[in-house]
Amino acid sequence: MDMFLLTVLSGFALDETVSFMKKLVEQFATLKFEGAFMYAVLLAAAVYICLEGYGIYRFALSAIGFAVGYRHSYEIMNFFNISTDTMDAEKILMIEVGAGLVVAVLTYTVVKAGIFIAAYHFAQANLSAFMVSLVAEKVEVPELLFPIFAKIVGVAAAVLVAWLLTKSERIVVIVVTAVVGGFAAVDFFRQMLSGLPMDLDFMNAVPEIVWVIAKCLLAAIGVGVQGTKKSAVAIIPDK
């Protein structure tokens, strides 16, 4: 009897484990995480990069590179209507991880490429909308062509910012890792709060400008902390 119960319980535990792993794979494949734990881990990683980016610049740039490659491969597959409805989540995850690793290796071995990719990703996420609205005020664009116009201007602005930032590696590594880490940390913090099993509806009433100020403040703290550390010597000599 005891052996029978043990077998049943073991089978149940195995089924639960398999179900959990499948759910976890699907979350990673679709970038739709549930619960606060994953965002707490990402928050900790973002804060660490924000405060220690220059001392661990190769790791920081490769981590950012992996995230960029991972996310953009997901977006490219989305563009071509490739999803868990048309392909196994495991295969999608393997493609995303593969793309992330390729970009991570590139950013680890070529510092300028790492700076360019990290700066481009940040500029596209945070500055593109501003640049599009700025240019749209000066140039009249037909409504049908506006999405294409916005994409071209956004990419061009991000490429320009990234190219300019590759000119001085040492200070830029500090600024880029502090800013990217700081901004991401605040975003992950907000997502973590939304996943907590408690009523935090009052957080929705916080004005967006408060979160923007929090991002800028954390980024400035990151720059200050990195700049005052002993590691902030010419690990990467300016050319």
Side-chain angles (χ1 to χ4, degrees), residues 158-188:
V159 168
L160 178 62
V161 170
W163 178 74
L164 291 173
L165 288 178
T166 58
K167 296 301 180 181
S168 179
E169 293 180 13
R170 183 149 46 94
I171 185 61
V172 169
V173 167
I174 292 177
V175 173
V176 167
T177 54
V179 171
V180 172
F183 275 51
V186 174
D187 286 335
F188 291 145

Side-chain angles (χ1 to χ4, degrees), residues 81-185:
N81 295 319
I82 299 174
S83 66
T84 52
D85 294 330
T86 58
M87 183 184 291
D88 291 340
E90 292 85 353
K91 292 181 180 178
I92 292 177
L93 183 58
M94 286 176 64
I95 294 171
E96 292 167 344
V97 170
L101 288 175
V102 169
V103 181
V105 169
L106 175 64
T107 54
Y108 183 88
T109 54
V110 185
V111 174
K112 279 187 180 294
I115 294 172
F116 183 90
I117 290 172
Y120 172 83
H121 180 67
F122 171 80
Q124 190 182 44
N126 296 278
L127 303 178
S128 291
F130 170 73
M131 291 302 298
V132 169
S133 62
L134 187 66
V135 174
E137 290 178 1
K138 309 293 183 181
V139 181
E140 188 173 340
V141 182
E143 187 175 346
L144 287 175
L145 296 177
F146 190 80
I148 299 174
F149 166 80
K151 189 68 175 178
I152 292 173
V153 171
V155 170
V159 168
L160 178 62
V161 170
W163 178 74
L164 291 173
L165 288 178
T166 58
K167 296 301 180 181
S168 179
E169 293 180 13
R170 183 149 46 94
I171 185 61
V172 169
V173 167
I174 292 177
V175 173
V176 167
T177 54
V179 171
V180 172
F183 275 51

Side-chain angles (χ1 to χ4, degrees), residues 50-54 174 178 218-232:
C50 175
L51 301 179
E52 295 284 348
Y54 188 72
I174 292 177
L218 185 54
I221 291 172
V223 171
V225 169
Q226 291 190 51
T228 56
K229 285 181 177 289
K230 290 182 179 180
S231 61

